[in-house]
Amino acid sequence: MKTPYKNIYAILKLNKFIVLAVIICATLLGIFSVIMAFNMHRKALNSAFAINTDGSIIPLKLVTQKENFKVEALAHLELFHTYFYNIDASNYEKNLKKALWLGNSSVDNLYRQKKADGVYNRLLQYSLVQKVLRIDSQIAEKNDTYSFRTVTLFEINRGSIIDTYELVSTGNLITVDRNFPNNPHGLLITDYFENTLKKQSNESRKE
């Protein structure tokens, strides 16, 4: 029995369909490639770059984010040190409660230690006024870890006597969810430590 030949018109129709499908796919792929190239070119034109100290190129967006972080970090540190050290008999409970929102257990442990040492009892007993005069903080970054060093100048008013002290404290900063108004900057102080506390003379204070 002879094998019947396929209808040549059906074969040509099938080939025509395949060629047409290939052409359509190639056209769509070409249009997609052009659109992607155009978008990449437009993003490149709208982007700016900065040169790092090691010669590498950093998108300006990343630089801006780091600058914004530094501003937030400095504001966070100033807020914390103001709450923690700018205290008197009338506001210390309220201020310390706010300060504890800005740090982790290292801050809480320091607070508990001061409380056990009678710092706040003396504040009440002698009606002391502890006033922050200046807060200077420095932020350092290493391997995506942010550390800080803060110098806080404050005075303790004992009525007829006013003593000025310089406190150097250090720690790290991590990002957390913002919690307004308790933690508006979305940062948390960790590994907080009071390194040195020095009493200032009248001459150094004038300077």
Side-chain angles (χ1 to χ4, degrees):
M1 182 176 180
K2 295 182 178 180
T3 303
Y5 291 100
K6 293 184 179 179
N7 190 327
I8 190 170
Y9 294 104
I11 296 175
L12 291 175
K13 188 176 181 180
L14 178 62
N15 289 341
K16 183 180 179 181
F17 174 77
I18 293 174
V19 171
L20 185 61
V22 171
I23 293 174
I24 292 174
C25 290
T27 303
L28 292 176
L29 184 61
I31 293 174
F32 177 76
S33 300
V34 171
I35 292 175
M36 290 296 295
F38 175 76
N39 288 336
M40 291 178 63
H41 179 68
R42 186 175 61 182
K43 289 181 179 179
L45 290 177
N46 292 333
S47 300
F49 300 90
I51 306 300
N52 199 3
T53 54
D54 59 1
S56 60
I57 297 177
I58 306 175
L60 192 58
K61 183 178 180 181
L62 181 59
V63 175
T64 304
Q65 288 177 347
K66 289 188 176 182
E67 289 177 349
N68 290 340
F69 177 87
K70 184 177 180 180
V71 172
E72 296 261 19
L74 291 175
H76 185 85
L77 291 171
E78 183 167 356
L79 190 64
F80 166 76
H81 287 83
T82 300
Y83 282 147
F84 203 71
Y85 297 104
N86 198 89
I87 55 177
D88 56 41
S90 64
N91 69 9
Y92 83 97
E93 290 184 329
K94 179 182 64 177
N95 281 8
L96 291 174
K97 183 178 180 181
K98 292 179 180 179
L100 293 176
W101 274 96
L102 307 178
N104 71 345
S105 58
S106 61
V107 174
D108 184 66
N109 291 338
L110 178 61
Y111 159 71
R112 293 178 184 276
Q113 182 62 48
K114 288 177 177 289
K115 188 175 181 179
D117 292 341
V119 172
Y120 306 119
N121 284 337
R122 288 193 293 273
L123 194 75
L124 294 172
Q125 184 178 357
Y126 300 107
S127 298
L128 304 180
V129 177
Q130 185 169 295
K131 181 182 179 181
V132 171
L133 304 176
R134 189 175 70 248
I135 299 171
D136 295 320
S137 297
Q138 294 179 337
I139 310 295
E141 178 194 2
K142 185 176 181 181
N143 299 327
D144 294 328
T145 300
Y146 292 90
S147 60
F148 69 86
R149 180 182 183 273
T150 300
V151 178
T152 304
L153 190 69
F154 64 91
E155 65 179 19
I156 298 180
N157 190 326
R158 297 181 172 86
S160 58
I161 301 175
I162 299 178
D163 293 323
T164 305
Y165 297 87
E166 181 187 80
L167 171 70
V168 177
S169 56
T170 57
N172 297 321
L173 288 169
I174 60 174
T175 55
V176 295
D177 292 336
R178 294 179 189 269
N179 186 338
F180 187 84
N182 297 318
N183 192 332
H185 301 290
L187 296 171
L188 197 69
I189 295 172
T190 65
D191 305 311
Y192 186 68
F193 185 72
E194 293 182 341
N195 296 76
T196 59
L197 178 64
K198 296 179 180 179
K199 185 176 180 180
Q200 303 292 291
S201 62
N202 292 333
E203 289 76 11
S204 62
R205 183 185 174 186
K206 290 178 182 179
E207 294 176 358

